Amino acid sequence: MTTPNASTPTTREPAAGARATAPKPGRDSGTPSAADTDTAGARSAAADTAGAAAAAIADATLWIELLLRQFPELLVELAPSYRSSSAPRATPSGTPSATAGPTRAEREEALRAEQTHGLTPSGSRTSPVRLHISDAVRDVTDGVIELDEAVHDRLRLPRPRREQVAGRLLRVAGLLGRAAADDVLLEHIRDEVRRMARRCTRALGGAEPVVRVSGRCPWCDSVSLRAFPARRAVLCVNPACRCTDRACDCRTDPAHRHAWSEGAWVRLAAESGADLAELAASAADTARREGGR
């Protein structure tokens, strides 16, 4: 009778050809691989790019809508406000004809034109030339034509057909979706329509937008900080405020106000107690704010 050898191991050896393998990095180990990290980063960057493009399209659309409303008002301002001297004047029967002299409003308008532009009416019934309106109309008209042609050229489209300003603006608005793939073109469209809309606003006598900013001025400790989106700056509007910077004109010019440019907003927020995010939002350059005034 034979007994088993005590020194013989009782564990089984792995079968021939079988190898013990360590878990692979990635899904098996629970640790993301380099490829997964790169893919997630690419997706996040693509989402950020798409979001920026959508915001730029929305902003450009609002500026175009504002320009579409303002440009016809410019044309109305450019037209004479009363009849020409060569046109026959209707007088009631039985009423003696009076001397056709300028009205008070006409005299005041002529005086303003003479003081502002150095222009004097050539006759008692001649409307003063409003050069600032005429220049704005020409600037916007030429700018819209050039923008329309530039967009078609950049997108490799046929040369656009002749159209009025409103028609060209609507045509550019219809191409914003195709322009979204070109960051340079989309930014150019937004900047140009914003510039022309603001030119219309200034010519029509519109005031520059101002937004109140929370916090106190570091120089005068008053709640007089205001953001000016068109300038990308924050100013203290307190007439008595004076800073200690010798290079700032607020020390010598009573009409000057100390200003913080965009690069100084972090320091301004820390010194004034304002929220930096709120400060940036209040100074954001948006057509929605200007269009709602």
Side-chain angles (χ1 to χ4, degrees):
M1 181 176 179
T2 59
T3 59
N5 190 356
S7 62
T8 303
T10 57
T11 58
R12 296 182 179 181
E13 295 292 334
R19 296 178 181 178
T21 58
K24 296 180 180 180
R27 296 181 180 179
D28 296 338
S29 62
T31 303
S33 63
D36 293 337
T37 303
D38 293 342
T39 302
R43 289 176 180 175
S44 177
D48 293 341
T49 303
I57 290 176
D59 200 23
T61 302
L62 288 173
W63 285 114
I64 290 176
E65 293 175 353
L66 182 59
L67 187 56
L68 284 170
R69 293 199 306 268
Q70 291 180 330
F71 187 73
E73 297 179 14
L74 271 186
L75 299 179
V76 173
E77 290 292 324
L78 184 64
S81 59
Y82 44 81
R83 297 169 63 96
S84 171
S85 58
S86 60
R89 298 178 58 87
T91 54
S93 58
T95 303
S97 59
T99 304
T103 64
R104 180 177 179 180
E106 294 166 357
R107 290 195 301 269
E108 291 176 351
E109 185 176 6
L111 179 60
R112 286 195 301 269
E114 184 177 359
Q115 292 174 342
T116 305
H117 307 290
L119 301 172
T120 304
S122 58
S124 60
R125 297 297 296 166
T126 302
S127 176
V129 180
R130 310 183 69 182
L131 288 181
H132 65 293
I133 299 292
S134 177
D135 290 345
V137 170
R138 182 169 56 252
D139 177 35
V140 173
T141 302
D142 294 344
V144 170
I145 293 175
E146 293 175 1
L147 179 62
D148 188 22
E149 293 178 349
V151 170
H152 280 73
D153 181 69
R154 183 83 174 190
L155 295 178
R156 301 184 182 277
L157 298 174
R159 185 180 179 88
R161 65 182 184 277
R162 290 177 175 270
E163 187 61 80
Q164 299 295 326
V165 169
R168 289 182 181 270
L169 285 172
L170 291 175
R171 189 158 55 199
V172 171
L175 294 173
L176 287 176
R178 299 183 62 172
D182 191 333
D183 296 339
V184 176
L185 177 60
L186 187 58
E187 183 178 356
H188 176 69
I189 294 174
R190 182 192 58 192
D191 292 346
E192 276 298 293
V193 293
R194 176 177 57 194
R195 179 190 67 81
M196 290 184 287
R198 285 204 165 130
R199 180 70 189 271
C200 288
T201 301
R202 292 194 302 270
L204 293 171
E208 182 179 2
V210 181
V211 183
R212 183 172 182 175
V213 177
S214 62
R216 292 184 174 272
C217 174
W219 301 116
C220 63
D221 199 38
S222 63
V223 286
S224 54
L225 296 177
R226 301 292 184 271
F228 291 76
R231 309 183 200 181
R232 300 295 298 167
V234 175
L235 278 70
C236 177
V237 296
N238 180 14
C241 181
R242 298 291 182 269
C243 71
T244 58
D245 185 3
R246 295 183 178 182
C248 184
D249 293 335
C250 73
R251 296 168 56 88
T252 58
D253 186 359
H256 189 82
R257 299 290 179 266
H258 187 85
W260 290 266
S261 60
E262 192 171 1
W265 287 354
V266 175
R267 180 178 177 182
L268 174 62
E271 294 178 350
S272 65
D275 183 16
L276 181 60
E278 180 186 0
L279 178 63
S282 64
D285 191 12
T286 64
R288 182 176 291 105
R289 177 185 295 126
E290 296 193 22
R293 292 185 295 115

